[in-house]
Amino acid sequence: MVVFPPLADMCGIWALFGSDDCLSTQCTSAMKIAHRGPDAFRFENVNSFTNCCFGFHQLAIVDRLYGMQPLRVKTFPFLWLCYNGEIYNHLQLKEKFEFEYQTKVDGEILLHLYERFGIEKMVTLLDGVFAFVLLDTANRKVCLGRDTLGVRPMFRMLTDDGFLAVCSEAKGLTEITHSMASPPEIAPFPPGHFEVFTLKSSGKVESVQLKRFHSCTDEPKHAVHDSFRGLLSGSPAHYSVAPPTTMQPHNIALPTQYRFDLETVKSNIRLLFENAVRKRLMAHRRIGCLLSGKSVGVHTCVVVMVTTSPSTGGLDSSLVAATLVKLGKEDELKYPVQTFSIGTEDSPDILAARKVAAHIGSEHHEVNFNPEEGIRAIQEVIYHLETYDVSSIRASIVMYLVCKYIREKTDSVVIFSGEGSDELTQGYSYFHKGPSPEAAAEESERLMRELYLFDVLRADRTTAAHGLELRVPFLDHRLCAYYLSLPGEMRTPKDGVEKHLLRESFKGLNLIPDDILWRRKVPFSDGVTSNKKSWFSYLQDHVETEVNDSQLESAAKVFPHCTPKTKEAYYYRQVFEKYYPGRAGWLSHYWMPWWIKATDPSARTVSICTPNKDQ
């Protein structure tokens, strides 16, 4: 039986440097993210800086004593760390550099790496998802950092005079008092970047460095320290020149002519995916899985559980769930993996998920989706999401309700998700319209870079709203870098089927049923509701009662930024402005399919995807 080391708890982080007001007043804002850590909270002032403070809300995945933050150790009393995330390779790094831990949590590795190597090398060595605030009082520095794809959220507010405020969610910053005449910008911290500030004696800061440390297309530097060495190089028999003997089997960065034998590629995809799931099993709370039945249209999430969220699809969640159950048996988990699906009684998702669950042998839960309940949840969903993007809200409502069920009715807490698969593997229906493999590859990379604005944002907020933790194996650094390094023509839809390479990679293994493995993508709204009426149609009926024609006609005057083009978009924007007035800039653009003329993000707008109620 494998014993997993402790990881940091799911949490909400909040920090102020150079506050213009009493901290006891400012700290009330930190309570707006209490849902991210419902088990415990803590506020702590910084020695010698009375206007600097850390706030932390804890969801106890592991030991509560060691999991509380800000994290400090006796060896480095001048370092303060507040972070949200998981560092999967912390034990390998501890052993490699012979660090002596004083706690049992993964986050301590950040303190050791920073003290020995500095901030830039520290972040490049981390295999995981994270958002952190690190204070170095000895050198008068404040450092911020966020993982490559923004799986863990973080927002920052910086005033003209150097008052810095940081929070896991923007809502924890909107009512911070400050000395500026107009509200300062609150913006998401850019994924894959770190920022360094100098800390003045007044507690105020000045930004001195903002730098990207990793992109999803680059092989991560931490790969050289990875304990996983299973990748194969291309077979020399397929090339005119044999690969150099200095190439290591685990090295992703092989020259193009050596690495693209199809069978080798498929094997590597399987190896990297299984390793991505395995490394994310480190948790001491129950494992479960939200399981979507369609092969595309709902995302997965595992609590450590697998859930599916309304966007990636049943293929993705099924692969995550099946791999999770397989690894759970190998590691002798003491309980069955729970899976969860949501839909109306006769919906395609419910029926297909039931089939997958029976195939993999999970303990399956079916959550009845009531469209009226979904309509009632719209406002609270938008409050948690902090966006008015139409696609995100539609999908989030269903994911929000299934996460609510999981929190109230089960003991699953950590959520694995299939988020990112559609973006990584070209799973959206409009990829069939791609003008060339090169254009499709560029679009895939664009979608990956914007995940933190859309699907990853949705998955984080809907799970965190109910005190659940999200884990996303499809967004593993090494898996992403490898898949995106493949030639564009290998990754495009083939034979009328999107994600063809991913499906081919798992063909013939009996991991999931063949009809699920090869099922075509259908719109999400056609998967969770019955054959009689879709979730999309229920939403359209509701917004007709909320927005009239004259309102929509004047939308450009009322909402000049990201002007809503439909009544549904107008309604969501109204609700957003109710909670976050004047913050429309948090969204730069709506999620929309490319290469077609569309005013709606639904897959229904793509001609290849005709809703089929017999599916």
Side-chain angles (χ1 to χ4, degrees):
M1 177 179 177
V2 174
V3 178
F4 295 115
L7 287 180
D9 302 339
M10 164 69 185
C11 65
I13 61 174
W14 182 88
L16 303 182
F17 300 94
S19 174
D20 297 316
D21 202 349
C22 174
L23 289 179
S24 61
T25 301
Q26 303 280 42
C27 285
T28 58
S29 291
M31 299 311 295
K32 289 186 175 183
I33 61 165
H35 52 273
R36 296 188 69 88
D39 294 331
F41 70 92
R42 180 180 186 179
F43 296 113
E44 186 168 347
N45 286 70
V46 179
N47 301 340
S48 303
F49 294 92
T50 56
N51 59 352
C52 299
C53 177
F54 286 94
F56 179 72
H57 292 277
Q58 181 192 39
L59 173 64
I61 303 298
V62 295
D63 183 89
R64 293 192 180 196
L65 174 63
Y66 287 118
M68 285 305 293
Q69 297 182 35
L71 179 62
R72 304 179 69 194
V73 296
K74 292 181 180 179
T75 309
F76 316 120
F78 52 90
L79 296 182
W80 305 57
L81 175 67
C82 213
Y83 76 109
N84 173 209
E86 302 89 44
I87 310 302
Y88 305 119
N89 64 341
H90 73 107
L91 291 182
Q92 291 97 318
L93 295 174
K94 174 188 175 184
E95 180 180 352
K96 168 68 178 179
F97 299 113
E98 300 181 340
F99 294 141
E100 293 186 9
Y101 271 26
Q102 296 177 37
T103 72
K104 297 181 180 179
V105 295
D106 59 317
E108 186 179 340
I109 194 66
L110 275 72
L111 300 177
H112 292 275
L113 291 173
Y114 173 82
E115 194 277 334
R116 182 173 298 185
F117 301 118
I119 185 65
E120 183 166 1
K121 186 169 182 179
M122 181 199 88
V123 290
T124 62
L125 290 175
L126 300 177
D127 181 9
V129 294
F130 52 84
F132 67 81
V133 183
L134 192 155
L135 170 63
D136 178 351
T137 58
N139 296 290
R140 295 290 183 90
K141 292 181 180 180
V142 176
C143 302
L144 308 181
R146 192 177 180 191
D147 65 78
T148 304
L149 294 166
V151 174
R152 288 292 175 261
M154 185 166 68
F155 288 78
R156 81 165 175 85
M157 180 187 84
L158 183 63
T159 66
D160 292 341
D161 64 348
F163 170 27
L164 174 66
V166 181
C167 190
S168 293
E169 298 182 16
K171 59 178 63 68
L173 302 178
T174 54
E175 295 184 13
I176 294 288
T177 58
H178 51 82
S179 59
M180 290 179 61
S182 59
E185 180 186 17
I186 298 171
F189 190 81
H193 286 72
F194 70 88
E195 186 168 16
V196 180
F197 302 83
T198 56
L199 180 66
K200 303 175 183 179
S201 57
S202 63
K204 305 284 188 180
V205 303
E206 180 181 358
S207 179
V208 294
Q209 185 182 23
L210 175 63
K211 184 175 181 179
R212 174 180 288 280
F213 65 86
H214 186 234
S215 171
C216 61
T217 57
D218 300 329
E219 181 185 7
K221 292 183 179 178
H222 59 69
V224 298
H225 304 298
D226 198 336
S227 59
F228 173 67
R229 294 289 188 267
L231 291 191
L232 305 172
S233 62
S235 170
H238 292 269
Y239 308 109
S240 57
V241 180
T245 57
T246 56
M247 289 292 179
Q248 299 300 312
H250 63 276
N251 191 343
I252 292 176
L254 292 171
T256 302
Q257 68 268 36
Y258 301 132
R259 53 178 169 162
F260 300 130
D261 166 62
L262 180 59
E263 291 306 314
T264 299
V265 166
K266 292 192 296 183
S267 175
N268 285 341
I269 290 171
R270 290 193 300 270
L271 290 168
L272 286 167
F273 177 72
E274 181 170 312
N275 186 56
V277 175
R278 184 186 300 278
K279 71 175 69 169
R280 286 163 174 78
L281 292 178
M282 295 189 293
H284 293 172
R285 299 286 285 268
R286 183 164 188 167
I287 296 176
C289 203
L290 178 53
L291 182 62
S292 166
K294 352 189 257 308
S295 50
V296 173
V298 176
H299 291 309
T300 53
C301 297
V302 190
V303 180
V304 152
M305 138 193 153
V306 152
T307 76
T308 81
S309 86
S311 250
T312 62
L315 169 64
D316 314 318
S317 58
S318 297
L319 290 175
V320 173
T323 304
L324 184 63
V325 171
K326 171 179 175 287
L327 295 178
K329 291 177 180 177
E330 292 176 4
D331 295 337
E332 299 179 2
L333 285 180
K334 296 180 180 179
Y335 50 81
V337 171
Q338 293 180 327
T339 53
F340 303 87
S341 62
I342 183 169
T344 55
E345 185 176 353
D346 58 347
S347 68
D349 269 8
I350 285 288
L351 299 177
R354 191 180 299 166
K355 181 173 186 176
V356 173
H359 184 88
I360 65 177
S362 63
E363 179 189 303
H364 192 54
H365 297 244
E366 294 181 354
V367 182
N368 181 56
F369 175 62
N370 183 325
E372 289 74 23
E373 184 183 8
I375 297 296
R376 291 193 298 270
I378 290 175
Q379 297 213 16
E380 58 193 271
V381 166
I382 292 175
Y383 171 77
H384 281 287
L385 289 182
E386 303 172 336
T387 189
Y388 49 93
D389 177 64
V390 174
S391 179
S392 299
I393 293 168
R394 280 182 193 162
S396 294
I397 293 167
V398 179
M399 192 170 181
Y400 181 85
L401 294 176
V402 73
C403 289
K404 180 181 179 181
Y405 172 91
I406 292 165
R407 182 64 179 181
E408 294 177 351
K409 306 294 185 182
T410 78
D411 56 354
S412 292
V413 177
V414 181
I415 314 238
F416 275 61
S417 164
E419 256 65 42
S421 178
D422 275 339
E423 291 77 7
L424 178 65
T425 66
Q426 302 187 17
Y428 291 113
S429 296
Y430 72 85
F431 274 98
H432 289 279
K433 300 289 188 177
S436 68
E438 293 75 21
E442 290 178 4
E443 170 64 354
S444 179
E445 291 178 21
R446 182 189 72 85
L447 290 172
M448 294 290 287
R449 291 193 301 269
E450 294 186 351
L451 272 169
Y452 77 104
L453 295 172
F454 301 108
D455 282 30
V456 161
L457 179 150
R458 170 187 45 71
D460 173 83
R461 301 303 195 282
T462 53
T463 51
H466 299 291
L468 303 177
E469 178 171 303
L470 176 74
R471 296 192 182 170
V472 282
F474 273 106
L475 297 182
D476 182 77
H477 295 169
R478 294 190 68 188
L479 175 61
C480 290
Y482 181 79
Y483 205 97
L484 294 174
S485 75
L486 299 173
E489 58 269 19
M490 291 188 77
R491 294 182 274 149
T492 56
K494 290 179 175 58
D495 302 326
V497 179
E498 60 287 317
K499 300 186 184 179
H500 193 274
L501 178 59
L502 180 65
R503 300 173 198 268
E504 273 282 334
S505 298
F506 289 92
K507 183 176 70 173
L509 302 180
N510 198 36
L511 188 65
I512 61 175
D514 280 348
D515 57 339
I516 300 298
L517 181 65
W518 290 101
R519 193 174 178 195
R520 281 278 308 280
K521 184 178 183 72
V522 298
F524 172 62
S525 60
D526 289 337
V528 297
T529 42
S530 72
N531 293 338
K532 299 175 183 178
K533 189 173 183 179
S534 73
W535 173 226
F536 176 86
S537 298
Y538 279 103
L539 284 170
Q540 303 318 303
D541 289 348
H542 176 69
V543 298
E544 282 291 335
T545 68
E546 297 289 337
V547 179
N548 59 45
D549 293 341
S550 62
Q551 285 177 299
L552 187 59
E553 290 171 3
S554 63
K557 294 181 180 179
V558 180
F559 304 121
H561 175 76
C562 285
T563 301
K565 305 295 185 184
T566 66
K567 290 183 177 180
E568 184 182 5
Y570 192 102
Y571 174 59
Y572 294 159
R573 182 64 170 273
Q574 282 184 314
V575 176
F576 175 86
E577 294 290 342
K578 169 185 172 182
Y579 292 116
Y580 307 108
R583 300 293 183 178
W586 289 349
L587 182 66
S588 58
H589 60 281
Y590 291 103
W591 193 100
M592 283 287 178
W594 281 36
W595 306 310
I596 63 171
K597 293 181 179 180
T599 58
D600 189 278
S602 173
R604 290 163 168 261
T605 62
V606 184
S607 60
I608 193 170
C609 185
T610 303
N612 181 357
K613 290 302 184 180
D614 296 328
Q615 282 190 319

